[in-house]
Amino acid sequence: MNLEDLLNNQPSSEDGHSSAKSSPLQSLKVDLDFYSESIKEISAEMILEGYTLYPIFIAHQHEVSIGELLLDRSDLETNWSVNVSSVEEFVERGIIKEEKRAYFEKHFKKAENFMCLFVVVPEGANFVFYPYK
């Protein structure tokens, strides 16, 4: 899934117009473009050092209990914080079921071109691949 897919699937307001313009996901795009270089560097380091072939970055606006904090929105004066994790931790925590791991890895986009995000919003969470700038 792409970030635009999430934005385009926002519920309509009572007048029938999409409420995507007021969506916090719009601010996520801005922050991801700002964070892009840092996330790409960390992703490459994780792969190079053999930590994982499948780095996952958790984008959130509240506290989450997975991964390690990488970019703190309050320190950087942005709207979104980003934690860093891996497919291994997601499987260990049961977010990705072991029997679905191979499917996930097969469909994982190239880490040198895309960041894999687990976007957490009050309505739920979803995986998104977003291209580096």
Side-chain angles (χ1 to χ4, degrees):
M1 176 173 277
N2 295 314
L3 189 58
E4 287 76 15
D5 295 334
L6 281 178
L7 289 169
N8 292 334
N9 288 332
Q10 294 299 307
S12 295
S13 59
E14 288 179 13
D15 63 4
H17 292 93
S18 173
S19 61
K21 288 184 180 168
S22 62
S23 167
L25 295 175
Q26 292 289 350
S27 66
L28 178 57
K29 286 181 73 171
V30 172
D31 287 357
L32 290 176
D33 291 343
F34 177 70
Y35 294 155
S36 184
E37 189 175 318
S38 297
I39 291 174
K40 187 173 186 175
E41 286 177 19
I42 294 297
S43 178
E45 282 179 30
M46 293 173 72
I47 293 167
L48 187 63
E49 293 177 10
Y51 178 72
T52 186
L53 294 175
Y54 306 98
I56 300 173
F57 298 90
I58 301 102
H60 57 94
Q61 292 183 310
H62 303 90
E63 293 297 316
V64 295
S65 60
I66 187 164
E68 293 183 32
L69 184 62
L70 176 65
L71 301 161
D72 187 346
R73 68 189 186 116
S74 59
D75 290 346
L76 297 167
E77 298 181 6
T78 56
N79 291 299
W80 291 81
S81 293
V82 176
N83 287 20
V84 60
S85 185
S86 65
V87 71
E88 292 82 1
E89 183 179 5
F90 271 63
V91 170
E92 183 180 300
R93 299 270 194 119
I95 298 168
I96 297 174
K97 296 192 183 317
E98 183 64 50
E99 59 270 15
K100 298 287 186 180
R101 181 177 180 166
Y103 177 85
F104 181 84
E105 291 176 357
K106 180 181 178 187
H107 292 88
F108 197 91
K109 291 190 178 185
K110 290 186 174 203
E112 55 271 1
N113 299 327
F114 293 88
M115 59 184 89
C116 176
L117 296 164
F118 188 65
V119 180
V120 180
V121 293
E123 297 80 22
N126 208 340
F127 286 100
V128 175
F129 289 93
Y130 190 73
Y132 293 112
K133 291 294 172 190

